[in-house]
């Protein structure tokens, strides 16, 4: 057994091993796909599929859902037919792209061995398996964030023309998939200019992204006669998380509970009805105005909700297991096992990332890169912290945190960590223990607050 492990360990140093690992992950996903293909798409996955069909038929519609994934699906539906199976299979390409980008990013920052280990880790991570075979936006968003991180760092150090072009495409896809990320369309090129002092390097991805995003905004205008900032859900989501009836902890609650359902206050239903009675042109403005008025009137509640949003954003992921039970008739025991598996995978990443950050010094060589990755993740997460939050939404930043975890394990494996063993030494040990305790408090609080769903 020891000899086998040693050989396996040496294999992780080979670039060719990456293809075997990715193939292994693809095989797992094909098996899962064959198991679930008899079940129809449900919830958000079905909605994105239906929007893709509307695009394919050339229908005019009001874009409530972001168009990035529907455009991707419509492209494959045009070529291979409009079956839901085609949509599911097309998601496997995001798995391949994601695996390539995370491998390249970690190999450049750490080693081939650690890059392969990370690709293997994500190939069996339950929530990453589900989102590789279901038409939802989590994996495309994660792929874009990792791709943007890798390409930005490459442009700064070893720029190539295709890096700049692909970065522009990735920025466009990210914004069209998550409209709240539109500031990154300017922030990433701004960062590139700050690092390279090259206007062409910075402007090219900005222009590519702006043209594609602007093209969709113009198309939405031709369909509706209104100027819509990508899709209509944004101001409403902001309102759902910031109105007089929004729960202090479960700020996402009105996003999944509608009129007439138990616990939905009649006064809240009437408030929403008064807004939607207005013309479509005014809905966005009224939702936004109502939310801002409440925030100004009760800034104390906004601060409490924001603190809660930030905490539950970092709770463990429960979506995969619960979705398997609901949409795929998986036995509850198996669903709970999947939730447990997601939690363990997530905790490994988070604790290793926290430990790595606690060991950093101002003179650490990768400090600037780490700050860039953290700011990229925070730029993505920030809008959720002021609107409504749920552990589901942390999915795309987990790979960025996994980069920090990989750097930590690399230091342990190569014995280059001079800041103690698995626990830091001195004052940093206290810092790490406090951070770890806060993190586990967040996990326990999440279980306590969701105990009625158990």
């Amino acid at each position: 057994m020891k000899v086998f492990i040693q050989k396996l360990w040496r294999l992780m140093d080979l670039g060719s091993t990456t293809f075997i690992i990715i193939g292994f992950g693809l095989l797992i996903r094909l098996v899962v796909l064959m198991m679930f293909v008899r079940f129809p798409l449900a919830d958000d996955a079905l909605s994105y599929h239906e929007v893709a069909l509307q695009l394919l038929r050339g229908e005019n519609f009001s874009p409530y859902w972001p168009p990035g994934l529907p455009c991707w699906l419509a492209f494959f539906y045009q070529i291979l037919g409009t079956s839901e199976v085609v949509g599911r299979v097309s998601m496997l390409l995001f798995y391949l792209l994601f695996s390539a980008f995370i491998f390249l990013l970690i190999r450049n920052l750490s080693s081939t061995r650690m890059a392969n280990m990370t690709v293997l880790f994500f190939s069996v991570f339950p929530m990453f398996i589900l989102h590789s075979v279901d038409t939802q936006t989590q994996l495309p968003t994660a792929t874009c964030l990792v791709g943007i991180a890798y390409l930005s760092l490459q442009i700064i150090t070893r720029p190539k023309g295709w890096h700049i072009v692909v970065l522009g495409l990735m920025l466009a896809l990210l914004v069209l998939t998550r409209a709240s990320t539109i500031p990154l369309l300017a922030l990433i090129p701004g960062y590139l200019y700050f690092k390279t002092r090259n206007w062409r390097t910075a402007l090219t991805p900005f222009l590519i992204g702006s043209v594609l995003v602007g093209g969709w905004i113009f198309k939405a205008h031709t369909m509706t006669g209104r100027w819509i900032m990508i899709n209509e859900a944004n101001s409403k989501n902001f309102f759902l998380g910031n109105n007089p009836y929004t729960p202090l902890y479960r700020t996402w609650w009105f996003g999944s509970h509608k009129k007439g359902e138990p616990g939905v206050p009649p006064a809240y239903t009437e408030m929403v009805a008064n807004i939607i009675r207005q013309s479509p042109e005014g809905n966005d403005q009224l939702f936004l105005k109502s939310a801002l008025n409440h925030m100004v009137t009760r800034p104390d509640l906004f601060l409490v909700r924001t603190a809660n949003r930030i905490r539950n954003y970092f709770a463990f992921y429960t979506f995969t297991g619960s979705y398997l039970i609901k949409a795929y008739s998986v036995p509850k025991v198996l669903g709970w096992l999947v939730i447990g598996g997601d939690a363990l995978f997530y905790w490994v990443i988070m604790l290793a990332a926290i430990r790595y950050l606690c060991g950093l010094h101002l003179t650490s060589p990768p400090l600037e890169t780490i700050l860039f990755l953290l700011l990229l993740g925070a730029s993505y997460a920030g809008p959720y912290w002021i609107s409504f939050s749920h552990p589901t939404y942390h999915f795309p930043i987990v790979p960025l945190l996994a980069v920090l975890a990989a750097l930590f394990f690399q230091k342990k494996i190569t014995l280059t960590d001079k800041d103690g063993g698995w626990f830091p030494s001195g004052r940093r040990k206290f810092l790490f223990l406090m951070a770890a305790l806060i993190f586990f408090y967040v996990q326990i609080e999440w279980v306590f607050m969701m105990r009625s769903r158990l």
Side-chain angles (χ1 to χ4, degrees), residues 41-80:
L41 294 172
D43 298 335
D44 290 2
L46 177 60
S47 296
Y48 287 115
H49 169 73
E50 290 174 342
V51 174
L53 296 180
Q54 288 179 296
L55 288 171
L56 199 60
R57 292 192 293 261
E59 297 178 6
N60 289 337
F61 60 94
S62 185
Y64 179 82
W65 298 93
L69 180 57
C71 288
W72 172 276
L73 296 173
F75 172 78
F76 289 97
Y77 290 163
Q78 179 69 47
I79 299 172
L80 302 173

Side-chain angles (χ1 to χ4, degrees), residues 177-190:
T177 304
R178 284 281 189 270
S180 60
T181 62
I182 197 166
L184 288 174
L185 194 56
L187 290 175
I188 294 298

